[in-house]
Amino acid sequence: MTTSTPAKRSGTSVVTKISLVVALVLVIALVVFVLQNTVHTTIKFISFDFDLGVGVAMLGAAVVGAVIALIVSAAVRVRRAVK
């Protein structure tokens, strides 16, 4: 006869729930920000002209910044792993 002991929880479910709540609050704040900043503006980049809402333009800039940060972070991690 074998007895099994229940697996110990490391608290990851609590951390996951808190992370999801924080992410949900940030998404709601982002949607409110975009909806409140609907004034259109013309953005000129190189030879392109974009007519966007200010909130959408700032959202796009934040996304581009996040992608650049992820790429740099990944490059640093790969470089450290190679050493």
Side-chain angles (χ1 to χ4, degrees), residues 1-79:
M1 176 185 236
T2 61
T3 60
S4 61
T5 58
K8 291 183 180 180
R9 290 189 176 183
S10 62
T12 56
S13 64
V14 174
V15 173
T16 303
K17 288 179 184 178
I18 291 173
S19 298
L20 287 174
V21 169
V22 169
L24 181 64
V25 168
L26 289 175
V27 167
I28 291 171
L30 182 65
V31 168
V32 169
F33 174 78
V34 170
L35 291 175
Q36 287 182 344
N37 291 287
T38 58
V39 176
H40 281 265
T41 185
T42 302
I43 298 173
K44 297 179 181 181
F45 179 69
I46 303 176
S47 64
F48 302 105
D49 292 334
F50 301 104
D51 186 31
L52 298 170
V54 174
V56 175
M58 292 182 74
L59 175 63
V63 168
V64 169
V67 169
I68 290 171
L70 286 172
I71 291 171
V72 170
S73 174
V76 168
R77 288 181 185 175
V78 167
R79 186 170 180 162

